[in-house]
Amino acid sequence: MARSASTIVAKLAWLVPVLLLLLTVHQSKVVLDLGRTVRDGTRTVAEVTRYVRIDRKDVTQAELDLRVLLPDGGVLVRERLSLPYSISHRVEQDTLTVIVLPGSAQEVVIASIVGTQTRIALSNAVMSFIMMLITGALVFAWNRFEKRGSNA
């Protein structure tokens, strides 16, 4: 028995809540990784070697390059670190206090904005979780409707 295009699309629609679940897991992991770096990391000073903030109407972005002085005397260089545009003005300095945990998922965290970054990641996780529940319910209902329609 051949399936209708609508039934095939209804089955493929399960990809949406699955992708939202993956996004929820990812953003939750970011929250945990930021917390781990703050808790277990070491405070040090980083030199801002490049700071770019674009304020055009069509493009708003901010990024910077850091040269982090490690407590053991080493240097850690991080380039093209994207920042949330709305808080990028808080890092317009020549040096920044950072928290470093080498080898972790979030190796370098800027101390002055880590709270905001954590709240952004947490709100992303919550929003994607809620959307996963909504789309999951809608896809479930659609598939149930398709199944009943094919049995009639």
Side-chain angles (χ1 to χ4, degrees):
M1 180 197 261
R3 287 187 170 175
S4 70
S6 179
T7 303
I8 293 170
V9 173
K11 297 290 183 199
L12 287 174
W14 280 110
L15 289 175
V16 175
V18 168
L19 291 173
L20 287 167
L21 174 64
L22 293 175
L23 181 60
T24 300
V25 170
H26 177 268
Q27 290 299 295
S28 298
K29 184 179 178 324
V30 168
V31 170
L32 295 173
D33 291 340
L34 286 169
R36 179 173 175 245
T37 299
V38 169
R39 185 185 64 246
D40 299 337
T42 305
R43 284 185 177 266
T44 187
V45 175
E47 176 187 356
V48 178
T49 57
R50 184 180 68 92
Y51 175 82
V52 176
R53 180 175 164 156
I54 299 173
D55 294 313
R56 296 188 339 228
K57 282 184 179 183
D58 59 334
V59 176
T60 56
Q61 77 177 52
E63 67 180 26
L64 53 80
D65 295 347
L66 294 177
R67 185 174 178 272
V68 182
L69 305 172
L70 298 174
D72 65 2
V75 174
L76 186 64
V77 176
R78 290 292 175 258
E79 296 178 339
R80 303 183 63 88
L81 298 173
S82 294
L83 296 169
Y85 178 80
S86 59
I87 61 172
S88 63
H89 65 281
R90 292 170 34 191
V91 298
E92 291 179 352
Q93 303 167 30
D94 294 334
T95 60
L96 296 168
T97 301
V98 295
I99 305 166
V100 180
L101 186 59
S104 69
Q106 299 286 331
E107 284 188 311
V108 179
V109 175
I110 301 170
S112 63
I113 63 172
V114 69
T116 305
Q117 285 182 301
T118 302
R119 286 188 296 277
I120 289 170
L122 184 59
S123 67
N124 287 343
V126 169
M127 286 185 291
S128 58
F129 179 74
I130 291 168
M131 289 307 300
M132 179 204 64
L133 293 175
I134 291 169
T135 57
L138 292 172
V139 171
F140 175 79
W142 185 13
N143 276 278
R144 191 169 177 192
F145 173 77
E146 287 293 327
K147 186 176 181 181
R148 285 185 178 172
S150 67
N151 290 339

